[in-house]
Amino acid sequence: MKNDGLALVSPAKQQGEEDQTVDGEDIEPSLALLADLRRKLIAAWEERRQALAHAHQLQVFLEQAQQADEWLASKEAFLANDDLGDSLSSVEALVRRHEAFEKTVTAQASRIDELEKSAREALSDPTHLHAAAISECLSAVCARRDRLMESAVSRRRKLRDSYDLQKFLQNFYEVESWIHQKMQGARDESYRDSSNLQSKIQRHAAFEAEIAANSGRVTAVISEGESLIAAGHFAGMEIQLRVSELENDWRMLQDALTLKKERLQDAYQALLFGRSLDDLERWMEEAENQLASEDHGKDPASVRNLLRKHK
């Protein structure tokens, strides 16, 4: 059969061509546009989902950071106390409180560990929208945590130095009191009374021996103070004043002992001299009486007897 110059078209092809056209128009560009819009919508949805996830991570992190800040603030308030105690017992009480505080801080440090864990999880995504904010906040909290730990170590060191100071002062006051007590005996003027001088000299020798036996106590306190000063103790000037005061009082006690010993010896020598003088006066009185006698003998025998006495 002649086709009269027209190409023959298969029914299937003809149907496909009819599907691609609507009222004679081609819809393929519209389908391509629709597919592109679909891809963009999915991408926007994914981007929105990721942004919301990042925002949620940020808010969870910030809430943890706020809790960590509040916890740090409460611990900083404890360390803001400048009281270092004014006695050995008060310092010991403060040391016990600080040790309990450090144990609590160590036990509750997991707050910061959880914050660091949350930050690592968020920052593991290189595309995280709030990475800079999270990193900055974490750095601030960690820096604050480190300052807290440094402050705790610093206060522990100050309390230890305060304990050493109070221990030194306790030893100082004990030795100072002992020196002042002994100074009263060293300055006693019993040597002015010549009675029982030998006994007084013996008691003074025993007194000197007691002072010498306790010299180690004085030396130990002085060495203790000098060691604290050499270690850079915060109360170095006060300690130096106490050491100088103790050295001066100890030197005064030694001088007082030496002076009293000399005066006791002088008093004893004066007593001996007085006794010798009394003996000499009695002898001279006897001699004078004998020389003043008007007895010149009555006979040769009595004269010879008087001559022997005179010789």
Side-chain angles (χ1 to χ4, degrees):
M1 182 178 186
K2 271 176 92 172
N3 56 18
D4 296 329
L6 297 175
L8 294 176
V9 181
S10 67
K13 184 176 180 181
Q14 184 176 4
Q15 181 65 37
E17 289 177 352
E18 288 176 356
D19 290 342
Q20 297 295 323
T21 59
V22 177
D23 296 334
E25 294 183 7
D26 189 0
I27 65 171
E28 186 172 352
S30 298
L31 292 174
L33 178 61
L34 184 60
D36 184 57
L37 289 174
R38 181 176 181 276
R39 283 193 301 274
K40 289 180 178 180
L41 177 61
I42 293 174
W45 175 85
E46 179 60 26
E47 183 179 352
R48 177 64 175 170
R49 185 196 64 78
Q50 190 177 45
L52 289 173
H54 290 175
H56 179 261
Q57 281 184 320
L58 174 64
Q59 294 305 317
V60 170
F61 174 81
L62 291 178
E63 183 177 353
Q64 290 177 324
Q66 182 179 359
Q67 292 174 354
D69 277 332
E70 291 172 353
W71 177 78
L72 288 169
S74 68
K75 303 309 174 187
E76 288 168 347
F78 177 87
L79 292 175
N81 181 14
D82 294 329
D83 182 17
L84 295 176
D86 55 3
S87 66
L88 198 58
S89 59
S90 63
V91 175
E92 288 174 344
L94 288 172
V95 169
R96 287 193 296 269
R97 286 183 58 195
H98 188 76
E99 289 175 348
F101 167 80
E102 288 189 315
K103 289 180 181 178
T104 301
V105 169
T106 301
Q108 296 178 354
S110 58
R111 296 170 182 264
I112 309 299
D113 296 337
E114 291 174 1
L115 185 70
E116 289 180 312
K117 181 180 178 182
S118 297
R120 284 195 300 270
E121 290 176 355
L123 297 177
S124 62
D125 183 357
T127 64
H128 202 289
L129 299 175
H130 308 289
I134 292 174
S135 179
E136 182 180 355
C137 182
L138 178 64
S139 296
V141 173
C142 289
R144 191 174 181 183
R145 184 266 317 275
D146 294 341
R147 289 194 300 270
L148 176 72
M149 296 303 183
E150 290 172 2
S151 297
V153 171
S154 176
R155 178 159 176 79
R156 186 189 337 125
R157 188 183 304 115
K158 288 181 179 179
L159 286 172
R160 182 194 63 202
D161 289 347
S162 180
Y163 178 86
D164 292 340
L165 172 64
Q166 295 303 324
K167 188 68 175 176
F168 165 77
L169 290 177
Q170 184 183 66
N171 295 335
F172 166 79
Y173 289 130
E174 288 178 355
V175 173
E176 269 289 285
S177 177
W178 176 81
I179 289 177
H180 290 163
Q181 179 186 357
K182 299 306 174 183
M183 188 70 78
Q184 295 177 1
R187 288 177 173 173
D188 176 67
E189 296 183 348
S190 59
Y191 54 83
R192 295 185 181 276
D193 181 4
S194 61
S195 61
N196 301 319
L197 275 176
Q198 267 192 310
S199 176
K200 291 175 182 178
I201 290 173
Q202 291 172 353
R203 286 200 301 269
H204 185 73
F207 185 63
E208 284 184 309
E210 179 191 353
I211 299 299
N214 283 274
S215 62
R217 293 174 62 194
V218 180
T219 304
V221 175
I222 292 174
S223 298
E224 181 183 1
E226 290 175 343
S227 297
L228 292 176
I229 295 170
H233 197 284
F234 68 85
M237 293 183 64
E238 179 185 358
I239 295 172
Q240 182 60 62
L241 289 174
R242 302 295 186 184
V243 168
S244 299
E245 181 181 352
L246 184 59
E247 289 176 332
N248 183 61
D249 289 347
W250 177 244
R251 188 163 47 250
M252 290 175 62
L253 177 59
Q254 297 294 319
D255 293 343
L257 285 173
T258 301
L259 181 60
K260 184 176 180 180
K261 180 179 180 179
E262 291 174 354
R263 289 183 175 176
L264 282 170
Q265 292 293 343
D266 290 345
Y268 185 65
Q269 292 301 321
L271 177 64
L272 293 178
F273 176 77
R275 288 175 179 174
S276 298
L277 188 60
D278 290 341
D279 291 341
L280 180 61
E281 286 179 346
R282 282 192 298 271
W283 175 81
M284 290 180 67
E285 184 178 354
E286 182 181 348
E288 288 172 350
N289 290 336
Q290 187 172 349
L291 290 174
S293 174
E294 297 294 334
D295 183 11
H296 299 112
K298 297 177 181 180
D299 51 46
S302 62
V303 170
R304 285 193 295 272
N305 186 40
L306 288 171
L307 284 172
R308 284 195 300 271
K309 282 185 172 183
H310 187 73
K311 288 180 180 180

